[in-house]
Amino acid sequence: MTHANDVAVGIVGLGGIGKHHATKLTERGANLVGGMDIDADARRRFHEEFDVHAYESETDLYEDCDAVLITTPNRFHEEYAVSALKAGLDVLLEKPLAHTVESAERIAAAARDAEGFCMVGFNNRFAEPVQVIKGYQDEGRFGETTHVEANYVRRRGVPGRGSWFTSGDVAGGGALIDIGVHAVDLALYFLDHPEVVEVSGETRSEFGSRDDYAFVHMWGDDNGAEGFDVEDSASAFIRDADGNTVSLEVAWATNRPTNDEFVIRGTEAGATFDRGSDELTIHEARSFDGDSHHFSDTEVETREGDSHGAEQAAFLEAVAAGEAPAINTIDEALSVQRVIDAIYRSSERGEAVRLD
């Protein structure tokens, strides 16, 4: 059987997240064989830092690979994912699946027809506290999970204005499709990815489009309000076929404290998980023989984890085994993309959108 670190893996898209993945791969001793980018400076920097070939054409890279990680801007996910799948490669595609639901549908169709598989990069599922929550759910400690409060809120955290992140044409949206996609995926993961039937949402652009946008830190360079044409926050309510629900708050910028909490509510117990700090608390209420009523809040300490590293390990092990992973599947990612699209459509129409 092939060892995971023997898998010849390449990276398409050599920007910040591509470099991050390359660093994680080399730290684990993986067989990183090359990268590809249309930008010559990106290729030069990648070659100098990782001492592997950096190609201008993806077809040249694919000839050397068993698998690829695709970390391009969202608009180009389809082009490279479909060509890699047609070349017989296994693919780890960074979130979101695509910049539009139509593009996502085409990627999913290509994956279903392909010899290889496509795994989608929702790395938060691999966080240690998330795995603890899923373990307790599987054991029945929570009873039936009925509602998830999902928050991914930055006080001021618009990525570099004028970058592809703030271009609707390239990214497909703003805060919702960038960080909100993580929150939607994790909430649906806690509900075992149910059939979503109704979505009501509102997106807002209140800060990033202002000339006087006030911030302390910014990822990337600030090229001003002219390069910002997307939303910087979104609120939504999601309902599944069994009546279970998700309340969603997402923001790159808003006048409130940062909030990374996910609150899981079940019929027997619940949990609060802080995605930013990895803090996890289990909430329970009990009585003994109808008496001694009490509440208990149990703090759970987990090992310090590396969600991107764990995600890469799962991907490479699946490639080595020749079997598609059961986690982070293309169909789950497509379900998330449909919810994101429904939130945008609901906001545009001013009414709830049915998905059934």
Side-chain angles (χ1 to χ4, degrees):
M1 177 179 172
T2 304
H3 189 275
N5 280 355
D6 293 331
V7 172
V9 60
I11 297 178
V12 177
L14 306 180
I17 188 63
K19 178 181 174 182
H20 175 74
H21 273 291
T23 300
K24 292 291 182 184
L25 287 167
T26 54
E27 286 175 352
R28 69 180 300 104
N31 184 20
L32 176 64
V33 298
M36 175 268 163
D37 202 290
I38 60 172
D39 182 80
D41 288 337
R43 295 197 301 272
R44 175 184 53 78
R45 290 191 298 266
F46 189 80
H47 171 69
E48 290 175 354
E49 181 162 358
F50 299 103
D51 193 28
V52 294
H53 293 294
Y55 298 97
E56 185 176 4
S57 166
E58 72 275 14
T59 54
D60 293 333
L61 173 65
Y62 294 168
E63 290 178 358
D64 295 336
C65 294
D66 302 312
V68 291
L69 279 64
I70 296 175
T71 60
T72 65
N74 302 344
R75 184 179 181 87
F76 308 107
H77 282 190
E78 179 184 350
E79 174 184 351
Y80 294 114
V82 171
S83 64
L85 289 165
K86 286 183 176 179
L89 304 182
D90 295 314
V91 175
L92 174 56
L93 176 62
E94 261 298 345
K95 65 79 195 170
L97 186 51
H99 67 304
T100 67
V101 71
E102 293 82 8
S103 182
E105 296 273 8
R106 290 191 292 269
I107 296 172
R112 294 186 192 107
D113 293 338
E115 179 182 340
F117 64 80
C118 183
M119 180 177 173
V120 183
F122 291 110
N123 65 290
N124 286 293
R125 296 195 193 186
F126 293 89
E128 292 285 340
V130 171
Q131 295 304 304
V132 170
I133 291 169
K134 291 299 291 184
Y136 283 145
Q137 284 182 313
D138 292 343
E139 289 180 353
R141 183 171 182 177
F142 291 96
E144 297 295 324
T145 302
T146 56
H147 182 72
V148 179
E149 300 170 30
N151 300 281
Y152 202 148
V153 176
R154 300 173 181 168
R155 185 169 182 173
R156 289 292 186 276
V158 175
R161 293 190 299 178
S163 70
W164 70 264
F165 285 98
T166 66
S167 165
D169 184 54
V170 180
L176 178 60
I177 203 165
D178 177 35
I179 58 177
V181 72
H182 275 304
V184 171
D185 176 75
L186 206 51
L188 295 183
Y189 184 52
F190 289 138
L191 292 172
D192 290 326
H193 265 274
E195 178 193 357
V196 175
V197 296
E198 186 177 70
V199 173
S200 180
E202 189 70 36
T203 63
R204 300 177 176 88
S205 181
E206 300 173 322
F207 300 96
S209 56
R210 290 168 54 167
D211 290 330
D212 63 345
Y213 173 67
F215 62 96
V216 178
H217 305 287
M218 179 178 286
W219 182 86
D221 298 325
D222 184 20
N223 294 309
E226 186 176 347
F228 187 97
D229 65 0
V230 293
E231 82 285 348
D232 45 39
S233 70
S235 303
F237 194 77
I238 302 161
R239 186 188 308 275
D240 76 13
D242 295 321
N244 303 315
T245 51
V246 174
S247 56
L248 176 72
E249 289 292 339
V250 175
W252 274 342
T254 184
N255 285 327
R256 58 154 295 168
T258 295
N259 185 358
D260 288 323
E261 282 191 348
F262 287 75
V263 182
I264 296 93
R265 287 162 43 184
T267 55
E268 301 301 321
T272 300
F273 161 55
D274 190 298
R275 191 200 55 82
S277 66
D278 275 356
E279 294 176 358
L280 173 61
T281 304
I282 308 298
H283 311 292
E284 294 168 297
R286 296 183 60 192
S287 66
F288 297 109
D289 298 325
D291 204 356
S292 300
H293 298 259
H294 61 282
F295 297 158
S296 64
D297 295 313
T298 306
E299 294 185 7
V300 178
E301 183 178 357
T302 60
R303 295 179 300 177
E304 184 176 348
D306 174 6
S307 60
H308 274 119
E311 177 186 69
Q312 287 183 352
F315 173 66
L316 293 176
E317 288 165 7
V319 176
E323 297 179 2
I327 192 170
N328 292 41
T329 69
I330 194 85
D331 288 331
E332 291 169 344
L334 183 56
S335 176
V336 171
Q337 190 90 36
R338 288 169 175 160
V339 170
I340 295 295
D341 177 70
I343 294 172
Y344 283 129
R345 287 189 287 126
S346 175
S347 179
E348 189 176 310
R349 297 177 186 178
E351 62 185 17
V353 170
R354 298 288 298 186
L355 295 181
D356 57 344

